Amino acid sequence: MHVGIIMDGNGRWATSRGLARLVGHKRGAGRVKDIVKNSPQLGVTTLTLYAFSTENWKRAAHEVEGLMKLFRGYMQNNLLELHEKNVRVRFLGDASALAQDIRSQMEHLADLTKDNSGLNLNIAINYGGRDEIVRATRSIASKVLDGTLSLDDISEDTICGHLDTREQADPDLIIRTAGELRLSNFMTWQSAYSEFMFPNVSWPDFTFEVYQKCLGEFTGRVRQYGAIDSK
Ligand code: FPP
């Protein structure tokens, strides 16, 4: 089962307590650690976390820098534990806009864990669903141009195979915390048949119990992928 999470509400969690927004993000990073650790026992085989969108660059420079610092810290502090726990880490998004040291850390973590067979963890950084489709289209078009792919052979599978999530199943469930009812450019292609859940808690308050409750509710949903119930 693949779960995608839009980790929203860090800023509101902090400001409503009179704290700086970055304190909320820091708390959020703590939640990431806990939710990653507890995913396998809940039957989650792939977890995709939306950490930074292509639109998040519009935030104040100190907030962007603070988030980048958190990503660095997370990768540094959790590298060995993730590897020991058999987690395979991959990154979604356009890494080319990120600082070189962060890119090196990302490459190192992905490379170190590439043969792990436990939880698949995707971290989306500088990720946008539309941007991902644009990049996939460019790479498909270049194959058509150089003659390695024919126009008639372009199918849904071709597009899937050129997205950042290539070789991975689509998300079964997408959870967005903090009450907003939108996708905000998250897994635009892959979410075609996903179920959605919008728990009314901020990401820093997304505990194991809330996670477990969401997954319990998901199990009760009937998914027919456009077909009708034949019973
Ligand atoms: C959205 O809340 C959250 C983000 C843009 C950042 C998510 C990042 C983390 C949880 C930090 C650590 C992540 C990893 C992978 C180590 P918001 O700031 O938009 O909240 P608001 O809507 O209340 O302002």
Side-chain angles (χ1 to χ4, degrees), residues 91-94 127 132 135 162-166 168 190:
F91 293 91
L92 312 181
D94 179 4
Y127 174 87
E132 181 187 34
R135 287 183 288 108
H162 289 79
L163 297 172
D164 299 340
T165 48
R166 57 187 152 262
Q168 301 196 59
Q190 300 90 334

Side-chain angles (χ1 to χ4, degrees):
M1 153 140 160
H2 179 176
V3 176
I5 308 186
I6 303 171
M7 308 181 288
D8 196 15
N10 293 344
R12 277 166 282 167
W13 182 91
T15 45
S16 70
R17 286 163 177 77
L19 302 165
R21 291 176 57 83
L22 273 169
V23 179
H25 293 312
K26 220 173 260 180
R27 281 285 191 131
R31 286 289 87 216
V32 168
K33 200 169 149 57
D34 182 52
I35 293 304
V36 167
K37 190 174 91 195
N38 285 302
S39 283
Q41 71 178 97
L42 294 175
V44 175
T45 48
T46 301
L47 177 67
T48 299
L49 300 175
Y50 202 6
F52 194 89
S53 77
T54 45
E55 289 71 38
N56 285 153
W57 298 107
K58 294 178 201 149
R59 296 188 176 203
H62 77 274
E63 183 169 345
V64 171
E65 202 31 65
L67 281 166
M68 294 299 155
K69 209 168 151 191
L70 273 180
F71 301 148
R72 285 187 181 97
Y74 177 79
M75 289 191 278
Q76 236 154 42
N77 302 334
N78 294 281
L79 178 101
L80 293 177
E81 194 181 330
L82 287 165
H83 190 38
E84 269 162 24
K85 295 250 158 69
N86 200 20
V87 177
R88 177 173 183 182
V89 186
R90 277 175 278 202
F91 293 91
L92 312 181
D94 179 4
S96 68
L98 302 171
Q100 189 49 53
D101 69 301
I102 296 189
R103 289 169 69 176
S104 307
Q105 271 186 299
M106 286 160 65
E107 279 161 26
H108 180 50
L109 184 51
D111 191 56
L112 178 76
T113 62
K114 71 177 184 309
D115 296 321
N116 289 348
S117 56
L119 178 72
N120 284 305
L121 173 63
N122 298 315
I123 304 179
I125 301 184
N126 193 29
Y127 174 87
R130 289 184 173 188
D131 177 65
E132 181 187 34
I133 293 169
V134 169
R135 287 183 288 108
T137 306
R138 283 206 185 115
S139 116
I140 293 168
S142 76
K143 289 181 185 171
V144 172
L145 273 178
D146 71 18
T148 54
L149 181 69
S150 97
L151 206 53
D152 292 338
D153 287 338
I154 297 176
S155 64
E156 290 193 7
D157 284 346
T158 316
I159 295 177
C160 289
H162 289 79
L163 297 172
D164 299 340
T165 48
R166 57 187 152 262
E167 294 158 17
Q168 301 196 59
D170 289 339
D172 299 288
L173 171 66
I174 293 179
I175 299 171
R176 181 179 187 142
T177 57
E180 303 299 344
L181 306 180
R182 56 178 173 264
L183 261 183
S184 301
N185 213 0
F186 182 62
M187 305 208 105
T188 307
W189 173 277
Q190 300 90 334
S191 62
Y193 284 102
S194 301
E195 294 288 323
F196 295 95
M197 229 165 258
F198 301 96
N200 214 0
V201 294
S202 301
W203 176 248
D205 288 331
F206 191 82
T207 56
F208 173 72
E209 288 70 29
V210 181
Y211 191 26
Q212 198 173 25
K213 202 165 153 245
C214 288
L215 296 181
E217 199 182 315
F218 167 79
T219 328
R221 294 203 185 168
V222 180
R223 302 173 76 204
Q224 306 197 122
Y225 303 93
I228 49 161
D229 198 340
S230 55
K231 275 181 275 173

